[in-house]
Amino acid sequence: MTEATEATSAAGQHVLALDRKHVFHSWSAQAHIKPLPIAGGSGRHFWDYDGNRYLDFSSQFINLNIGHAHPKVVAAIQAQAARLPMIAPNFANDQRSEAARLISELAPEGMDKVFFTNGGADANEHGVRMARLVTGRPKVLSAYRSYHGATATTMQLTGDPRRWATDTGTAGVAHFFPPYLYRSPFDSEDEKQECERALRHVDQVIRLEGPATIAAILVEAIIGTGGILVPPPGYLAGLRELCDQYGIMMITDEVMTGFGRTGKWFAVDNWQVTPDLLTFAKGVNSGYVPLGGVLIGPRVAAFFDDRVYPGGLTYSGHPLACAAAVATLTAMREEQMVNNAAELGREVLGPGLRALAERHPSVGEVRGLGVFWAVELVRSRDTREMLVPYAAGPEESQPVQEVITACKERGLWPFANYNRIHMVPPCNTTADEAREALQILDEALKAADHYTV
Ligand code: PLP
């Protein structure tokens, strides 16, 4: 980080002025935002032009699994840019081949082919398209509270309020309730009950929608933005059984959970479940260059051996993005980052957050694993009333905003969604950095405690 001066501050102001004049931002009313100009980043930190440095416990959009500006990945991108920055997807390319080999090697047994996309939404688009083509069925089931992307089909598949504004109410999608013991839609009292009831509910939805009309069940292996809803043991295996029973394809969306986030290479590895298709993006190369993809199991792979797959992208398997993936996955292996994520969750973040929950009346529940944790804030532990309501707009979000502001003032940048703070740092975060973040959150949560009754 370079020293902040009047000149760097002025440069930051210039960046902001141009941004506000010309950049159209995602998910925002354009006149109501003031994005913080960022000057640089390294490891688990990034900083602005005024000398403020932040410990990144958001991993940006929960994609930066190896932290900022990892030197090995930066060097790989630079080398590839000098050698062959672009080659069309109809050629074979060394970086693309190696990235696909590495990803297949890490994937559940038998998932040996990769279709590369530009990000997560188009990975889901293509996963769904493959399932529809293979089964000859039109419909897809997905869970409420899930997020699958912002393209036309993936918006319909999304089960959270981001869908509402562009919901056409068609597109062959039906939603079901995911397990969520803390706010059980099935009035369950323990995980076993929640698992059984949630599976019985999906079975009913399948029967009522008509099994012969359903191509796929698409689920986030762990619902991420919607609350880090870790499914009870047996749930994903139960979905797998339902899919097999009715000839439905199982697609797991591992865009957020893949590549170390949960302390395993893929979240399904926590329960030894193998889907038919697995979609990924974000962590595959830490987001240094846009990349996503679909990991394809044997049934779908065999179907397209002799049939044309009617889909493609100019940038499918872009060499810069694939070089970044090869370097990222290699660095993650060499530096034991997935083990580090698991250990950090088990030894520091889990116990540390549970200790905060005991001290702060505003904390209703903490849950997670690896470097993937949610702190759910409530007005009352007895009623579990959310500190900020579901689908809240900016005015109603004040109590959580106060916690976030208190974190940022102390140099911590967490992720927030409605009444939750998500602590989702890079996989190579150190124990000391995690302890520092916990200490800051401890202070910041006092702002939420004021609202408890
Ligand atoms: N699926 C999940 C689970 C996600 O979290 C996201 C993005 O946050 C997406 C899909 C969409 O990915 P992208 O924004 O790269 O299109």
Side-chain angles (χ1 to χ4, degrees):
M1 181 173 153
T2 48
E3 212 44 29
T5 61
E6 263 181 37
T8 62
S9 286
Q13 287 309 309
H14 182 61
V15 171
L16 178 61
L18 290 183
D19 178 286
R20 294 327 304 120
K21 189 146 187 245
H22 298 295
V23 179
F24 193 95
H25 279 257
S26 316
W27 310 113
S28 303
Q30 304 302 310
H32 294 248
I33 52 171
K34 194 179 168 206
L36 180 65
I38 296 304
S42 172
R44 271 70 59 195
H45 290 89
F46 62 98
W47 49 87
D48 64 19
Y49 289 81
D50 294 319
N52 301 304
R53 189 166 172 263
Y54 300 98
L55 189 50
D56 192 347
F57 265 55
S58 67
S59 297
Q60 298 306 295
F61 275 4
I62 309 96
N63 62 270
L64 201 83
N65 288 10
I66 61 168
H68 293 266
H70 193 293
K72 291 176 188 166
V73 182
V74 172
I77 295 169
Q78 285 169 335
Q80 188 61 32
R83 190 165 74 88
L84 184 70
M86 169 60 195
I87 193 76
N90 53 320
F91 294 98
N93 171 259
D94 59 347
Q95 298 303 319
R96 188 183 296 143
S97 300
E98 180 59 5
R101 186 193 70 77
L102 274 172
I103 294 164
S104 304
E105 192 172 275
L106 300 171
E109 188 72 28
M111 305 198 84
D112 282 340
K113 281 211 157 73
V114 180
F115 176 70
F116 285 111
T117 64
N118 304 328
D122 49 345
N124 286 324
E125 287 273 346
H126 284 278
V128 164
R129 189 185 308 189
M130 288 174 190
R132 284 177 168 152
L133 288 163
V134 171
T135 59
R137 300 173 178 182
K139 225 178 296 177
V140 180
L141 304 187
S142 60
Y144 286 114
R145 301 184 187 277
S146 64
Y147 181 71
H148 295 297
T151 56
T153 302
T154 55
M155 272 278 87
Q156 302 307 307
L157 288 160
T158 286
D160 91 354
R162 281 173 285 187
R163 185 185 77 244
W164 299 349
T166 45
D167 199 342
T168 58
T170 55
V173 171
H175 290 100
F176 58 87
F177 293 109
Y180 182 8
L181 185 59
Y182 186 66
R183 300 186 185 282
S184 172
F186 312 107
D187 297 323
S188 306
E189 279 163 18
D190 59 41
E191 284 205 312
K192 189 161 174 287
Q193 238 176 31
E194 183 75 350
C195 182
E196 283 168 7
R197 292 177 184 183
L199 287 170
R200 215 179 310 140
H201 159 70
V202 176
D203 188 21
Q204 272 188 337
V205 173
I206 293 171
R207 285 164 192 258
L208 293 170
E209 287 288 336
T213 68
I214 302 167
I217 296 181
L218 168 68
V219 285
E220 288 183 77
I222 297 173
I223 290 179
T225 310
I228 312 194
L229 304 178
V230 183
Y235 179 71
L236 287 178
L239 281 187
R240 174 74 270 180
E241 277 173 29
L242 286 172
C243 286
D244 290 342
Q245 185 183 338
Y246 293 109
I248 295 170
M249 298 248 134
M250 182 179 190
I251 311 177
T252 49
D253 176 341
E254 294 242 20
V255 169
M256 190 176 277
T257 51
F259 302 102
R261 175 93 2 228
T262 71
K264 302 271 187 197
W265 281 104
F266 292 102
V268 289
D269 301 340
N270 288 290
W271 302 281
Q272 290 85 45
V273 171
T274 304
D276 296 290
L277 296 163
L278 183 156
T279 58
F280 64 86
K282 296 188 188 265
V284 64
N285 64 6
S286 222
Y288 284 19
V289 185
L291 182 67
V294 187
L295 254 162
I296 301 171
R299 184 174 161 200
V300 178
F303 184 86
F304 291 110
D305 271 344
D306 297 309
R307 290 181 189 82
V308 172
Y309 176 61
L313 297 154
T314 300
Y315 303 134
S316 177
H318 194 285
L320 271 190
C322 287
V326 171
T328 296
L329 300 177
T330 306
M332 288 186 86
R333 273 180 160 167
E334 284 170 0
E335 296 170 31
Q336 301 275 311
M337 289 189 209
V338 181
N339 280 346
N340 185 67
E343 218 174 278
L344 203 66
R346 208 173 39 240
E347 313 282 334
V348 185
L349 286 172
L353 289 169
R354 282 186 207 104
L356 293 193
E358 277 176 27
R359 270 205 296 287
H360 293 278
S362 58
V363 177
E365 184 176 67
V366 298
R367 53 180 176 261
L369 70 178
V371 283
F372 203 37
W373 290 87
V375 179
E376 177 144 354
L377 301 177
V378 292
R379 281 184 195 272
S380 151
R381 280 185 181 159
D382 295 335
T383 64
R384 300 188 179 182
E385 183 191 348
M386 294 166 72
L387 186 63
V388 164
Y390 190 66
E395 313 79 43
E396 292 171 298
S397 300
Q398 181 65 18
V400 169
Q401 272 318 313
E402 285 178 28
V403 178
I404 296 295
T405 303
C407 285
K408 290 178 183 172
E409 281 169 359
R410 292 165 175 79
L412 174 69
W413 198 281
F415 183 89
N417 179 262
Y418 303 135
N419 71 322
R420 280 168 278 106
I421 308 286
H422 290 189
M423 297 284 273
V424 284
C427 297
N428 55 355
T429 301
T430 66
D432 281 347
E433 287 165 340
R435 285 191 201 100
E436 183 190 339
L438 287 165
Q439 239 172 32
I440 294 174
L441 184 64
D442 191 13
E443 274 298 305
L445 282 172
K446 289 178 189 160
D449 292 342
H450 290 309
Y451 288 92
T452 54
V453 289

